[in-house]
Structure formats: C-alpha cells, structure tokens
Amino acid sequence: MKNLALCDLESIDELACPKDSCVDLNSPALTIFTDFEAVQPIVLDASTSAVEAEKLMINSHVRLIIIVDKSHFLGVVSLDDLNLQGIIKREANGIPRAELCVVDFMQTRNELKAFSYDELQKSSINDVVETLQKRGQQHCIVVDQNSHMIRGIISASDIARQLRVPININKDSSFVNIFNALYHSAA
C-alpha cells in the first residue's frame, strides 16, 4: 500500500467547477439525462422486500428504482409508492409487512409512458420539464425504440439540482385519478 502525503490548505481558496456549467432550460435535454450506457442503474429483483427497497433508496439517495425479473424489465417503484400509508393499508388487508415485496407496489411497464431517446436528442430541458409537469411525473424512463432497450431515466430532482432552481411537479388530481385511487384502495 502506498502512503499518500496530505497537503496544507493555507494557500488554497478557490473551488473547482465544471467548465460547461452553463446549463439552462434551453440546453439540450441529453445534458440532464442519466444514460444507462454510462451509469449502471440500481435495479431490484421483483421479490425484494418493500422495506429493504425503501432503506436502499433512502441510503442511495434515489427516488425511483427499476424492477426486474431475471434481468427482464417489469416496472418501477418510487419512494412515494413505498410510503408508510401504502404498507399499513396492505397490512390491514392481512399481508404481513415482512411479506410485502416491491412487486406489490410497483408501476408495471404497461402503466408507464416513456420518452423516446431519438426524440430526446432533439429536445431541450424546457421541453422535458413541461412534459413532466403536464403529466405530473417526477421521473420518466427513456427508451431506445430501435434496440428495444431502456436507455436511461430523467428525474425532475436531477434537473432542479443541475439548474439550481425548484421544479414543481404536481400530480394531476382529476376525478379519474381520485376514482382510481379510491377503487384500488377498496379492492
């Protein structure tokens, strides 16, 4: 093992920053895109316990995880999906907390909508933000339709962090969404 020498900081008073830190709403959408060809995504097996997934998400500082079964994409689960109210509701229906899995909370791939990578290449950050706001989505999967693969993900919180501005995404509270929430809670 090599023993590294430590330096004094007396003469150091500047902070390094990225050379291309001029990201704004007109910047290309790909500048805020988490590309799975460059970054390994966090994925969980469908049988992972909901409590374990929640802990992992909190400790990893991620709010959305991809759910797979033998590397095949099944859906996603968000930290909001794993909220205590949802767990308690399922416990009240007779399912012990220890038996709850991420698959019990996930949004299936049939329920999700995604950005096309080809279209994203021609879009601005503002286009992405407006779409996320219209749909009330904090995250959106990006797919490469040519290769039939999930290429990455876009997160409103990542955009807000890079732009250093708050981005408010409110879920639509239309009658249909309220009805669906009530119908599924009664089932």
Side-chain angles (χ1 to χ4, degrees):
M1 181 171 108
K2 182 178 180 179
N3 193 12
L4 297 174
L6 298 177
C7 303
D8 291 329
L9 295 175
E10 290 174 22
S11 64
I12 309 298
D13 57 359
E14 297 296 323
L15 185 64
C17 63
K19 299 207 183 325
D20 60 348
S21 63
C22 301
V23 178
D24 62 28
L25 286 171
N26 296 317
S27 297
L30 291 182
T31 59
I32 47 87
F33 161 65
T34 302
D35 189 348
F36 293 164
E37 287 189 355
V39 176
Q40 180 70 35
I42 297 175
V43 298
L44 291 176
D45 186 77
S47 63
T48 304
S49 91
V51 174
E52 184 181 322
E54 181 182 32
K55 286 178 188 173
L56 173 69
M57 292 171 81
I58 290 169
N59 292 335
S60 302
H61 303 284
V62 296
R63 299 188 55 81
L64 186 87
I65 289 185
I66 294 173
I67 307 302
V68 296
D69 181 27
K70 297 180 182 140
S71 80
H72 295 292
F73 175 66
L74 297 178
V76 297
V77 68
S78 73
L79 199 52
D80 291 339
D81 295 332
L82 297 174
N83 67 28
L84 186 59
Q85 182 180 357
I87 291 173
I88 291 171
K89 185 182 347 175
R90 285 172 176 85
E91 283 183 309
N93 289 333
I95 304 170
R97 183 179 292 219
E99 292 179 19
L100 292 171
C101 297
V102 290
V103 74
D104 299 320
F105 295 88
M106 77 175 188
Q107 301 165 52
T108 65
R109 69 185 200 183
N110 296 338
E111 298 172 284
L112 298 170
K113 297 291 183 193
F115 286 119
S116 162
Y117 181 74
D118 288 340
E119 190 172 339
L120 195 63
Q121 288 178 304
K122 305 170 200 159
S123 302
S124 70
I125 294 174
N126 190 52
D127 298 329
V128 170
V129 170
E130 286 183 8
T131 303
L132 292 174
Q133 287 175 328
K134 279 183 201 169
R135 297 208 32 103
Q137 289 182 227
Q138 291 288 331
H139 303 88
C140 194
I141 297 285
V142 178
V143 295
D144 183 335
Q145 293 175 306
N146 299 320
S147 65
H148 301 276
M149 297 187 82
I150 296 174
R151 180 64 190 266
I153 194 164
I154 289 185
S155 162
S157 60
D158 287 347
I159 297 170
R161 191 173 18 263
Q162 284 201 359
L163 295 178
R164 294 180 176 89
V165 296
I167 295 180
N168 298 317
I169 307 287
N170 297 317
K171 287 195 175 230
D172 187 15
S173 60
S174 69
F175 175 77
V176 173
N177 288 338
I178 294 168
F179 174 79
N180 285 337
L182 292 173
Y183 177 77
H184 290 298
S185 67

